[in-house]
Each structure stands twice: as C-alpha cells, then as structure tokens.
Amino acid sequence: MLEEARSRWHPIAATHDLQFRHVFHGQLLGREFAVWRADDGYVNIWENRCLHRGVRLSIGINDGRELKCQYHGWRYSNRTAGCTYIPAHPADAPARTITNRTFPAIERYGLVWSSEEPRGEVPDVAALAEGKLLALRGIPVNAPADKVVERLKAYRFQPNAAIGGEGAETIVEAAQDFAVALHSRDGGAETHGVFFVQPVDSNRSVIRGVLDQEAEGAARLAILRHHNERLSKLRDEVEREAASAPAPTPIEPVYERVSAELAEMPEVTTHGRKAALRVSVARKWQTADGIAGFELRPIKGILPTFQPGAHIDVHMPNGEIRQYSITNGPGETDSFIIGVKLERDSKGGSKCMHETVREGDVLAISEPRNNFPLRRDSIKTLFVAGGIGITPLLAMAQALKNQELTHELHYFAQGEEHLAFADRLKYLGDALKPHLGLSPDATGAELRQILADYRNGMHLYICGPGPMLEAARKIAADQGWPDTAVHFEYFKNTNKIDDSSSFEVALARSCVTLQVPAGKTIMQVMRESGIDVPSSCEQGACGTCVATVIEGEPDHQDVYLNDAERKAGTKIMTCVSRAKSARLVLDI
Amino acid sequence: MITLYDYELSGNCYKLRLLMSFLGIDYKTVPVDFYPGREHKSEWFLKLNPLGQLPVIEDDGLILRDAQAILVYLAARYDPSRSWYPLDNPALLGEVSQWLAFADGITSTSSAARLHDGLFYDFDIDAARAGAHRLFRILDEHLWFGEQQGRNWICSASHPTIADIACFPYIILSEEGGIPRQDYPAIRRWCDRVKRIKGFTVMSGVFPAGPGKIAA
C-alpha cells in the first residue's frame, strides 16, 4: 500500500501551519520536507537537507524571499530552490547544479498537499465541495496509517450546530486507504467531516480533519476542542494497539541525484548562443522616459534561478539578440523584469523591443548568466548607476536591502522622469541617492565626493554609459580603490576592434592547434572546428566567453577585464581579443 | 553587580542569561566547570548551594539558587514594566507559577535526556524521552489553541512572561537528547516568536531566527 501511496497526493500540513517567516518541518512516507511560505505567498516544499553538508533546512531561516541554511549560510531561492549565494565563495555565482529537490505544493481544503511522484490532481472531495471549511488541529499518531484509518471508521462526533449535545448518529460515507468521510446528524443538525491520514512514516501518521462548515468565535473554538479531545482519545487507543505489535521498519527515502536537465550542459548549436526558454510578455509599460519595462513569464514550469547581476539574452522577432540585466529582487522568481532603453542609434535591438514586441508576445530567452556577481561580505557597498545602468545594480541593491547589509545606490540620471522602476527604488528607502541633471563635470565632482572614503573591505559596483564608467573607474583608482574592490559592467564595447593580426591558437586540453587569420575571431575559428564556446554579447562586454591563457601574450580588446586582470594576462575574451605573440595556448 | 555562577552549556543558566538580556541588566559570570570537572559538587560551590546544582546568583548579598526562583526574583526586582512577572495580576501570576512548575518537568525529562546523550549521565533514556514527549504534546495543544484565540505566549497575556523563558531552553535543545519536535508545529512556531523578542541571545545549539514579516 505504501509503495502505491507515493503516487498519490497527501496533506502534509495545514494552511495555518505555514506562517510567514517560518519553516515547517514536514514528512511524508519517510521523506522529510522543509516547508516554507515566501512573502509572495508561494509554498515551497523541499527536501529537508542542505546540498552542502546535509543539515536540515527546517532549522534554517526563511527571510521571506530565500531560505538560508543555518550551518554555512548557503542561500536558496523561493520557488526554484536554486542556490543564490555561498558566503565562503563571496566573489562567485553558485553553479546551477546546486538546486535542491522540490516537491509540488497545492493548497486545498485548508490543507497543504504534496506527493513524491504525483499522478493526476489533488482529489476532489465531494463532501467538501462547497461552502467554507474548518480545518481541525492535526493530530500526530505513533501508528501506521492503515491502523489509524481503521479506527477512524468508528470515530463519532457531534455536528457543529449541536456540539454540546450527546448521541449524534455518525455514519461512514466513504472510506479509502488514507481517508474516511463521515457524516454526523443530531436532530436537524448535520456536519460532514473528512479525515485524511497522512502517512508520515511506516509507523507514524497525522490525522488531518476538515469539516464542511465554518464557525465563528466561541462556537468555532468549541468545535475545535470537541474534535481535538475525541481525536486525541482515538490516538491514545490506536497507539496502545500499535505499541503491542512489532514496529514496522522505517521507510528509507531515496535521495535522487541532481536532475539530468541541470547536470548536463544545454545542447550545443553551431550558433553558440542558446535560447532554451520561452517566455511571454505578461506586461510592458513605460517605466521612465525612454525606458520600457517588460515582465517575462514562463510559458510553462518555472524560470531558472538567477542571482543579482545576472543577465539574459533576449532573441527578438527581428533576429537580433540583446542582453538585458534582470532587475528582480531576491526570491522574486515568478517572472523576469527587464528594462529596455530606446537607443537613438538603435541597430534594431531596442527599437524592436519598444515598437514591435507587445504584451502577450512570446520571446525566446537564454538561461540567466551571471558574470557580474555580488559579494555580500563587504563592510559597505556602493553602487554607481548611470541611466539604464541601473538595471543590474537595482537587483543587487534589493538583495543587500533584504539582508540588511549596508549599501548606497547612487543613481545618475537626466531628471526625475528618467528614474526607472520607481516601486523598486522606493523599497530601497534611504539607500537610494539620486543625482539628477548633472553635467559631465558636475558628475565627476559628485563621484569624487561619493568615492572619497575608501576603507579596506568596501566594494564598488558601477554600470552606466562608457564615458561615465571610465570616469568613475579613474576617480576610484585615484582615490585609492584597489582594482579588486571595483566591479563594473559595460553595456557594450565601444573599442574599435583591430582584427588585422593573424596568429596560432593551441587548445591544450583539446589537443588542437588552429590558425586565426585576420578578420576572424578566436571564437569563430574554434566554432568552425566544432568546439563549443559559450557566448552572449560577442563584443567583449559580458564575460561569457572567457578562456584561461596558459601561454602567450593576449591582445585585449574587451571591456570586461579590469586593468589588473589585463596585466596578469591569464584570461582572454575569445570573441574580440587576439594575440600579440605568434602563439597563444588556451586551457580549452 | 549581579554575579551568575554559570555553565555555558546549561539550559537552566541560559534562562537567566536570556532574562537579563531581555531586561538589559549588566551582570558578571563565574564559570563553573560542570563537565567534566564536576565543580558544582566541589566544596566551595556546595557552600553556595548545598544541592550542588546550577545556576546560583549573588545580588547585594542575596544568594539564590534554582533557575525558576531566580527568574521570579530578577523579574520582580528589575523589570519596571512588570510584564515578565506580572505582580499586579493574581490570575496571571497563578498561570505563570503553573507553567514554571511545568518547566521543571521539562528539565527532569528533556534535560535529563540531553545529559544522558551529551554528557554520559546514567539515566533511563527511554523514560526521559517519553516523559518529554508527553509534556510537549500538552504544550503543543495549549499553544495551538492559543494561536486560534490570538494568543502568542504560554500565559494569557499579550506579552511574554518568565514562563516562556523557563520552558524555552530545554525545548529548543531537545534534539540533543534525541527528542525531535517535528510533531509539535505550534511549539516550533512559538520558538520562533521567543527568538524574535528584542534582546534575545543564543547559546551553543540554539540558532537565531530571521526578522519577522513587517505588516505592509
């Protein structure tokens, strides 16, 4: 019976058990769950073990958006259960394989239902079809579910309207493996009660009763007490009976490996850029002067995990591909929100998004990628955003706000009407510092002030138009900010690419040597030889196609690496950068 | 200044650290090597408490033993709001005393199981665990019906009392004695609420709660 039970839906908690900012400790057929309701109302049912050291997540912290493991502080996102931050690796974005196993959650009849391998829907219960219901206190019983069900068939109770009376007639209307439907009548008063038995383990169960009528105040309390008393008595009896029989062996839950979908790299295309996801434009709105907001919802299933700083490739109806940062706060995983600025000299990307794409349209997007990860070990974080450069920094600032970490978001824009995502900015409170309508010189003066007091342990994140970004980086360097504390992301690479050189590239791990002629990139040559290279912007801005240099002198033409990284010469962006030496050896 | 004769791993000493933290009272501690030194049975300590038990406090020449008794004393003397030990409310005072006695029961079962598992005491572990489960069932039911009536704490008040402090440590540490709290969802929620009282402090084996949700 228990084998077959795996494919059924069972109640695992009452709705009132899942209070905000609490983690409920559940169990079904031997498998433990950490169950938590996010502030957006979503119910998460997860395997009750941290993927790191196996500690129970039910002792973790539900911060309303993410669940933090109590042991080493790994954070897992609402809905996706993907890891978003590992404190011991503050500079890295966690691998997507670090995703906890989730189980379906449905709230119905005042109960929360789940199943290991559900077939079909949560059962319709005829007696509970209409009206308001009353969920009783769950009664844990140290006995097998079948014994509890057997006893429940003989359960007697008073109907709600005659709760103080005696001698109601209770009949069994239906009985199944894990539920008994009873009907009680006393004169004109009658109540249907359905008693579900949750098989916690081979020798443990919970009785979860639901009545077909709601009640208020003292009457409600009297009904709850009536059933609590009688069900407790029933529990004592069945426990006595169960104690005299040998206890069945506890069920050993099977821990599954990470799903194939997560464990394997996405399919290779000759193109290199992947658009594995289909989303629909749920909302398109003017969020600021010249900036359109897009809310992208998955066509089916849920979206993958993202971290602050991540971007997606959007494949547009006109065939163009553009990168946009995800502006969402932590745990906000039901849709991706992006902001698109209409560029005056648009080559078709932003123009298409503004003019052609409409609400209801379906777009192909890539999985989120994060080459601009956010540290959370900073004593104080400064964000400097220029115009549409707000988007990745907005996601970051919301994450720090949620964790109550010290930060300031300096947002440079032409005017009030150019500030995008007002609702998200409002959430940041005093941390938001707008700087409006400043000339380049005045911006420089302001930045000098903002970046004046560098202390060891501070971090700076900059995103904005090229000239402003250059200025901010220079001012930071002048004022003593080390390269390692300054993080930046360019929208695009405005360097004039010089592809006149020709050189040899040896791929050490692939045992292949290739000739890169003038006019072709390393990436193109590798792809022509059938070597898969992940890429996104393909102009030296996003960092996706980074490769490690083992030997040779790179000719950096990207805007992703900082000066120290360029000097070190150990990394190269294969989409635009080349070699100064005759030969380059890459760790590919 | 108050002196607390203290053992870091003692839940009974933790009760006093908790209350003094809630009340913002300064105190100093004298560590007593309970295990493995058995210093609580040493000659010098038996002069303070002939029962040879922790905790003991010394305050203005007053020497007091027994965690619950000390909670009563500290709250009555140092809590100007009179909420932790509601001296002006006889009915509530009666409730507090009732649950202080219940806390003694938790100590003799849940704490005993923890001493058996953690510090190798020769106790009847099955009886200790069964006894703790019996008490936890009663408290879970009490707290569940409290929630249904909008009551967050053990006693019928809109604020916590020393009864909550007296019951908390050996409940939150029960897993160390092999007593899971999975079957007590209302107790688990109440533990979150205790952890969110301003001034809450942890001890080894007790983890903090995150911030509660602020009503929009």
Side-chain angles (χ1 to χ4, degrees):
Chain A
M1 184 177 88
L2 290 181
E3 266 311 309
E4 191 202 334
R6 275 178 218 292
S7 59
R8 296 193 190 197
W9 289 89
H10 299 275
I12 58 131
T15 291
H16 65 242
D17 282 325
L18 304 188
Q19 293 178 354
F20 288 116
R21 309 293 177 104
H22 177 73
V23 188
F24 177 84
H25 186 179
Q27 191 171 348
L28 182 63
L29 295 163
R31 182 183 299 283
E32 283 192 29
F33 296 134
V35 187
W36 63 285
R37 189 189 294 279
D39 282 2
D40 67 5
Y42 188 83
V43 175
N44 293 282
I45 303 182
W46 295 357
E47 189 99 74
N48 193 16
R49 57 204 284 272
C50 178
L51 292 163
H52 177 217
R53 303 290 292 180
V55 163
R56 284 193 172 101
L57 289 173
S58 55
I59 63 165
I61 290 176
N62 165 5
D63 77 4
R65 293 164 173 268
E66 294 179 323
L67 185 65
K68 185 176 95 168
C69 177
Q70 202 68 259
Y71 200 10
H72 296 95
W74 288 32
R75 305 183 73 91
Y76 296 94
S77 178
N78 173 31
R79 211 173 264 109
T80 69
C83 181
T84 57
Y85 187 65
I86 300 174
H89 300 282
D92 300 335
R96 63 184 197 141
T97 44
I98 309 174
T99 297
N100 201 350
R101 184 165 178 202
T102 61
F103 298 88
I106 303 281
E107 286 187 83
R108 203 161 177 196
Y109 309 129
L111 302 174
V112 180
W113 299 74
S114 192
S115 172
E116 204 159 299
E117 302 147 1
R119 271 182 227 141
E121 306 289 317
V122 173
D124 275 315
V125 183
L128 300 180
E130 48 196 272
K132 288 196 171 172
L133 306 174
L134 181 57
L136 305 175
R137 175 170 177 252
I139 306 285
V141 189
N142 292 316
D146 55 344
K147 286 204 165 63
V148 178
V149 168
E150 215 38 57
R151 286 271 172 177
L152 276 169
K153 289 176 188 165
Y155 180 62
R156 298 288 171 264
F157 65 97
Q158 288 293 119
N160 286 4
I163 205 74
E166 281 289 338
E169 189 196 350
T170 311
I171 56 156
V172 178
E173 288 188 317
Q176 294 175 350
D177 288 348
F178 297 99
V180 178
L182 301 173
H183 177 249
S184 168
R185 185 194 298 275
D186 191 348
E190 56 180 318
T191 298
H192 290 275
V194 182
F195 297 83
F196 303 99
V197 179
Q198 169 192 349
V200 174
D201 205 331
S202 59
N203 200 32
R204 292 163 57 214
S205 315
V206 179
I207 304 171
R208 301 198 180 274
V210 183
L211 306 182
D212 68 341
Q213 301 148 4
E214 169 68 314
E216 297 291 334
R220 179 172 182 275
L221 215 55
I223 296 162
L224 292 173
R225 287 203 186 278
H226 173 83
H227 285 275
N228 186 63
E229 200 176 294
R230 294 196 177 197
L231 289 171
S232 298
K233 194 159 162 269
L234 181 146
R235 172 198 66 198
D236 293 346
E237 287 165 10
V238 69
E239 282 189 349
R240 265 197 298 277
E241 180 195 328
S244 61
T249 339
I251 305 169
E252 280 286 329
V254 179
Y255 295 114
E256 277 193 0
R257 302 177 71 90
V258 66
S259 71
E261 188 193 345
L262 282 171
E264 285 160 21
M265 291 305 287
E267 205 183 322
V268 179
T269 63
T270 47
H271 201 270
R273 303 204 226 181
K274 285 112 191 170
L277 306 171
R278 295 289 176 277
V279 291
S280 72
V281 179
R283 188 158 84 99
K284 176 186 176 184
W285 75 105
Q286 191 79 22
T287 175
D289 201 1
I291 301 175
F294 292 84
E295 181 181 349
L296 310 177
R297 287 190 172 271
I299 301 284
K300 63 173 184 183
I302 58 171
L303 293 167
T305 309
F306 68 92
Q307 306 100 23
H311 71 267
I312 49 171
D313 295 348
V314 176
H315 293 237
M316 295 170 193
N318 64 358
E320 294 286 330
I321 304 173
R322 291 288 182 278
Q323 288 74 48
Y324 296 106
S325 294
I326 298 170
T327 64
N328 298 38
E332 227 186 305
T333 39
D334 52 344
S335 63
F336 289 150
I337 314 283
I338 58 170
V340 180
K341 186 186 173 202
L342 181 60
E343 298 291 347
R344 241 170 295 159
D345 55 349
S346 172
K347 280 182 280 179
S350 65
K351 197 157 178 261
C352 176
M353 288 299 281
H354 271 256
E355 292 172 7
T356 313
V357 176
R358 294 181 192 177
E359 285 185 4
D361 284 1
V362 172
L363 294 174
I365 63 170
S366 70
E367 300 244 346
R369 243 187 311 264
N370 195 358
N371 302 317
F372 195 28
L374 170 69
R375 303 181 69 111
R376 326 275 174 105
D377 58 346
S378 171
I379 57 165
K380 182 178 179 183
T381 306
L382 296 184
F383 298 109
V384 171
I388 192 64
I390 187 67
T391 50
L393 304 185
L394 190 52
M396 293 182 178
Q398 290 172 92
L400 295 190
K401 165 84 178 169
N402 185 49
Q403 285 182 246
E404 297 177 341
L405 297 171
T406 312
H407 65 283
E408 284 174 9
L409 172 56
H410 296 274
Y411 188 175
F412 291 80
Q414 288 170 35
E416 193 89 38
E417 69 282 7
H418 292 273
L419 297 178
F421 301 106
D423 49 334
R424 289 169 194 278
L425 294 175
K426 199 172 155 217
Y427 167 76
L428 301 175
D430 295 341
L432 174 71
K433 318 275 184 199
H435 306 271
L436 304 175
L438 300 181
S439 67
D441 284 349
T443 301
E446 198 85 349
L447 283 171
R448 263 187 291 279
Q449 233 169 23
I450 294 166
L451 302 177
D453 302 309
Y454 170 74
R455 278 168 294 142
N456 189 24
M458 283 172 66
H459 283 269
L460 168 65
Y461 293 79
I462 320 168
C463 187
M468 183 211 168
L469 218 159
E470 297 291 345
R473 282 176 66 192
K474 177 148 191 331
I475 290 166
D478 290 348
Q479 313 228 37
W481 289 74
D483 266 358
T484 48
V486 179
H487 316 268
F488 52 85
E489 186 172 76
Y490 283 82
F491 305 146
K492 56 185 172 199
N493 186 357
T494 50
N495 293 342
K496 186 117 182 67
I497 306 295
D498 174 5
D499 61 359
S500 59
S501 60
S502 59
F503 52 95
E504 185 181 275
V505 169
L507 307 179
R509 268 189 281 166
S510 314
C511 300
V512 176
T513 300
L514 303 168
Q515 288 300 327
V516 182
K520 275 196 177 174
T521 66
I522 302 176
M523 177 185 281
Q524 281 169 340
V525 174
M526 285 197 288
R527 284 192 180 149
E528 283 167 10
S529 309
I531 291 158
D532 182 35
V533 189
S535 72
S536 177
C537 76
E538 299 190 2
Q539 52 163 288
C542 77
T544 305
C545 65
V546 65
T548 299
V549 179
I550 297 172
E551 202 182 297
E553 190 189 348
D555 170 18
H556 296 294
Q557 307 205 31
D558 63 283
V559 292
Y560 179 77
L561 298 176
N562 66 29
D563 293 341
E565 289 166 327
R566 279 164 173 258
K567 244 177 248 152
T570 54
K571 286 179 186 167
I572 188 168
M573 296 303 137
T574 54
C575 63
V576 290
S577 297
R578 308 179 71 80
K580 284 183 179 161
S581 50
R583 181 179 153 89
L584 211 53
V585 182
L586 302 183
D587 188 19
I588 288 179
Chain B
M1 190 189 278
I2 300 168
T3 303
L4 170 64
Y5 292 85
D6 188 36
Y7 178 58
E8 169 63 33
L9 299 182
S10 157
N12 274 326
C13 295
Y14 177 48
K15 293 174 189 176
L16 308 183
R17 283 180 253 135
L18 264 180
L19 178 62
M20 290 194 278
S21 180
F22 290 145
L23 293 177
I25 304 176
D26 269 345
Y27 64 99
K28 61 178 186 191
T29 57
V30 174
V32 177
D33 184 15
F34 180 86
Y35 184 88
R38 285 178 61 80
E39 206 176 357
H40 58 301
K41 302 293 182 193
S42 67
E43 209 171 313
W44 75 267
F45 190 81
L46 288 174
K47 280 183 193 155
L48 283 173
N49 180 2
L51 296 175
Q53 291 169 344
L54 285 169
V56 168
I57 63 154
E58 212 176 318
D59 186 25
D60 278 346
L62 172 72
I63 294 173
L64 217 50
R65 63 171 186 253
D66 187 283
Q68 273 68 253
I70 300 169
L71 285 175
V72 167
Y73 166 73
L74 290 175
R77 173 149 184 205
Y78 291 104
D79 173 21
S81 75
R82 298 206 159 192
S83 67
W84 287 101
Y85 191 62
L87 281 161
D88 312 318
N89 185 338
L92 194 51
L93 218 47
E95 272 188 58
V96 171
S97 298
Q98 168 187 300
W99 289 103
L100 290 182
F102 188 85
D104 269 333
I106 297 175
T107 304
S108 62
T109 53
S110 182
S111 168
R114 181 168 167 263
L115 288 173
H116 173 275
D117 282 13
L119 304 184
F120 317 111
Y121 274 60
D122 184 20
F123 289 140
D124 180 346
I125 185 65
D126 294 334
R129 286 181 187 150
H133 279 297
R134 196 173 60 82
L135 296 176
F136 287 6
R137 268 188 177 174
I138 290 166
L139 182 60
D140 187 76
E141 181 179 310
H142 174 72
L143 289 169
W144 192 89
F145 278 98
E147 286 179 345
Q148 295 299 316
Q149 296 165 79
R151 194 194 73 222
N152 282 329
W153 309 103
I154 289 181
C155 297
S156 314
S158 60
H159 52 78
T161 63
I162 58 169
D164 295 284
I165 299 177
C167 289
F168 179 74
Y170 289 119
I171 290 178
I172 202 72
L173 294 167
S174 72
E175 296 267 4
E176 295 185 359
I179 303 159
R181 295 186 297 281
Q182 191 190 348
D183 283 345
Y184 314 109
I187 288 183
R188 294 187 78 254
R189 290 191 290 272
W190 164 79
C191 286
D192 274 11
R193 292 195 286 272
V194 172
K195 289 175 178 184
R196 287 185 178 130
I197 299 172
K198 196 167 174 291
F200 178 78
T201 179
V202 295
M203 67 168 273
S204 179
V206 180
F207 308 109
K213 185 170 187 255
I214 299 156

